Amino acid sequence: MGIYRDLGRNPGVFRVLFSQLMARFPFGMLSIILLLHIQLAYGAYAYAGIVLATQSIGQAISGPLSSRLMGRLGMRPVLATTSLVCAVLLVVIAFVHLPLVITAGIAFLIGLTTPPITPAVRTIYPSLVPGSQLSALFSLDAAAQEIIWVLGPVVAVFVSSQFGTATGLCVAAAFMVAGGAWFILSPSISKVIIPKSRRGLGAVLRYPTVIISTVVGFFFVAAFAAIEAGIVAAFSGGGSGGHSGHGSMESGVVLAVFAGGSLVGGLVFGHRELRPWSLLVRIAIVLVGTSLALVSQNIWWLCAVLFLGGLGTAPAFAAVSSIVSSTVKFSETAEAYGWVGTGQLVGVAAGSAVAGVAIDHFGPTGAILASTILLVICAFCAAVTIKQLPDLKGRAIEPPPETGTLAIPLP
C-alpha cells in the first residue's frame, strides 16, 4: 500500500481526487430520484422511463462533444458552464410541472449539459504524478468511484422519502455546483492546458485502443446493469425463492458487497503493471463471480461470489484508463475518454433493457444469465484484441508525443 502513500506526496492529487468524486456524486443519485419524481408527477413509471431515456441520450451525445470543447475553450469555462446550467435545469424539473414532452426535452438538456468531470480528471491525472505512479492513481480513482454507486442511491432514497423528490433533485444540484466549484478551483486545473486537436471530431476513433476501450466498456457496463436488475428482482418477489418483505434492503446489501469487492480489488490489484493480457484476466475474474451467481440466489452465496467478481471490476476500469492514456495523444485524450464514457452510458441502457426482457420471461436468473453472456462477449473482445493493447511492464504511462507536419523553407 506504500504506493498510495507515495501518491499523496504529489501536491494537489487528493484534492483533485476527492473534489471530482463530490462533483460526480449526483450521477449516483439522479436516476433513482428522477424515476421517483416523474412517477409521482405524472402517475406512471413508463413516463419516468421516457424521461430517463432522453436524459441518457443527451448524456451519450455530450460525452465526446463537451470533452472536445475543453480543448478549444479550456476546462474551467466548459466545466463551470455545464455545472451551472445542468443544476438550474434540475431545479426547474423539481418545482415546475410542465407537459411531459417539455419535461423530456429538459431531461435531454440535462444529459447534454452533464459536466464532463470524468474526461477532465483523467486528462489531468498524467500531469499530477510521474508516469510510474499513474497506474496506481487510475486504480485508486476507479476504486473510490464505488462510493458514488453505493452511497448515491442510499442518499437519494433517504432524502426523497424524508423530504420529497423535489428536495432530492435540489440536493443533487447542490452537490453538482459545490463539488464542481471545488474541483474547478483546484490549482492543478490552471496548470493543465489541453492543446487544440488538429483533427476533426471522431478522428480519435482511428486509434484501435479507443475502439477497444469503448466496445469493452459497453459490454462490461451492460453486464453490470443486467446483474443489478437481476439482484433487485431476486429480492423483490420475482425470484424462485419468493423473497419479500426486506427485499430492497437485501438487494442493497448484495450490491454493496459487490461494490466492496471492487473497492478492495482496486486498492490491492489495480495498480499492477499492465500487460496486453491484463484486461482479459480482470474481466475473467468478474465473469467467474457472475457466472457462479447462477448457482443460487441465497443472499450469502450471492454476497460471496459477487465479492469475488467485484475484485476484478475496479482493476478493469483502471486498465481501460491506462490503455487510453498510454496510447492517445494528450490533445485527444479528453475526447477519447468522452467516447469511452458514451459507450458505457449506452451499455447501461442496453443492459437494463436486456435484463428487463430476461426477467419478464425467465425471472431474475434470466438477468444474471444475460449478464454472464455479456461478460463472455466482453472477454472475447479483450482476447481477440490482445495484440493491439500496450505492454506497460517496466514503462511509465505517458501519452505519445504530439506530432505534426513542419514546413521547412527551401534555401
Side-chain angles (χ1 to χ4, degrees):
M1 290 296 183
I3 191 168
Y4 298 112
R5 184 175 59 251
D6 293 339
L7 286 176
R9 294 172 181 156
N10 298 285
V13 168
F14 287 143
R15 172 172 176 168
V16 169
L17 178 66
F18 292 124
S19 63
Q20 62 93 18
L21 282 177
M22 182 176 176
R24 290 165 57 197
F25 194 75
F27 302 161
M29 301 173 60
L30 279 180
S31 292
I32 191 166
I33 295 179
L34 278 174
L35 180 73
L36 296 172
H37 184 77
I38 300 302
Q39 190 275 330
L40 289 172
Y42 297 92
Y45 280 106
Y47 295 151
I50 292 171
V51 171
L52 285 172
T54 56
Q55 183 216 356
S56 297
I57 292 169
Q59 197 170 353
I61 294 172
S62 76
L65 291 177
S66 58
S67 300
R68 189 173 179 85
L69 280 175
M70 289 192 293
R72 293 181 175 273
L73 305 177
M75 283 190 180
R76 280 179 167 164
V78 172
L79 291 171
T81 302
T82 52
S83 297
L84 288 173
V85 172
C86 192
V88 168
L89 292 173
L90 286 173
V91 174
V92 169
I93 283 188
F95 293 108
V96 183
H97 187 84
L98 297 165
L100 181 66
V101 173
I102 297 177
T103 300
I106 294 174
F108 175 79
L109 293 177
I110 288 173
L112 202 60
T113 57
T114 298
I117 300 294
T118 302
V121 73
R122 290 178 183 167
T123 301
I124 291 171
Y125 280 160
S127 68
L128 295 181
V129 300
S132 59
Q133 296 180 352
L134 192 54
S135 178
L137 183 54
F138 280 138
S139 177
L140 185 60
D141 175 88
Q145 74 177 353
E146 295 298 339
I147 296 171
I148 297 171
W149 308 114
V150 173
L151 293 184
V154 173
V155 173
V157 171
F158 175 78
V159 174
S160 297
S161 62
Q162 297 298 315
F163 306 102
T165 54
T167 301
L169 287 171
C170 290
V171 169
F175 269 113
M176 187 174 292
V177 172
W182 187 19
F183 176 66
I184 292 165
L185 295 176
S186 299
S188 303
I189 290 186
S190 62
K191 299 175 184 177
V192 178
I193 299 176
I194 303 175
K196 186 182 295 186
S197 176
R198 300 183 179 91
R199 303 196 293 176
L201 178 66
V204 71
L205 294 174
R206 296 176 186 173
Y207 289 98
T209 51
V210 177
I211 295 290
I212 294 167
S213 299
T214 303
V215 172
V216 166
F218 168 83
F219 286 109
F220 199 57
V221 175
F224 285 113
I227 197 168
E228 284 181 5
I231 296 302
V232 171
F235 293 101
S236 61
S240 59
H243 300 284
S244 60
H246 299 288
S248 58
M249 183 181 72
E250 292 172 333
S251 61
V253 169
V254 173
L255 293 175
V257 171
F258 196 8
S262 177
L263 179 63
V264 172
L267 294 175
V268 177
F269 308 114
H271 62 276
R272 300 292 178 90
E273 290 181 315
L274 196 70
R275 308 300 303 274
W277 39 263
S278 296
L279 181 61
L280 173 60
V281 170
R282 297 173 189 197
I283 294 170
I285 293 172
V286 185
L287 174 58
V288 170
T290 302
S291 59
L292 287 174
L294 291 167
V295 174
S296 170
Q297 290 172 13
N298 173 273
I299 184 172
W300 300 112
W301 173 259
L302 288 176
C303 284
V305 298
L306 291 181
F307 181 86
L308 169 64
L311 293 174
T313 305
F317 282 119
V320 168
S321 296
S322 297
I323 288 168
V324 172
S325 185
S326 62
T327 59
V328 178
K329 295 177 184 177
F330 182 67
S331 61
E332 297 176 312
T333 52
E335 184 186 342
Y337 285 124
W339 284 107
V340 173
T342 292
Q344 294 176 3
L345 282 168
V346 176
V348 170
S352 298
V354 169
V357 174
I359 291 169
D360 286 342
H361 287 82
F362 307 106
T365 303
I368 299 174
L369 178 60
S371 177
T372 303
I373 293 171
L374 287 166
L375 282 171
V376 169
I377 298 172
C378 183
F380 175 79
C381 293
V384 299
T385 57
I386 281 180
K387 292 183 178 180
Q388 280 75 46
L389 298 179
D391 188 348
L392 299 179
K393 182 175 177 60
R395 287 176 48 196
I397 299 177
E398 295 177 349
E402 301 285 338
T403 57
T405 303
L406 177 63
I408 303 176
L410 296 173

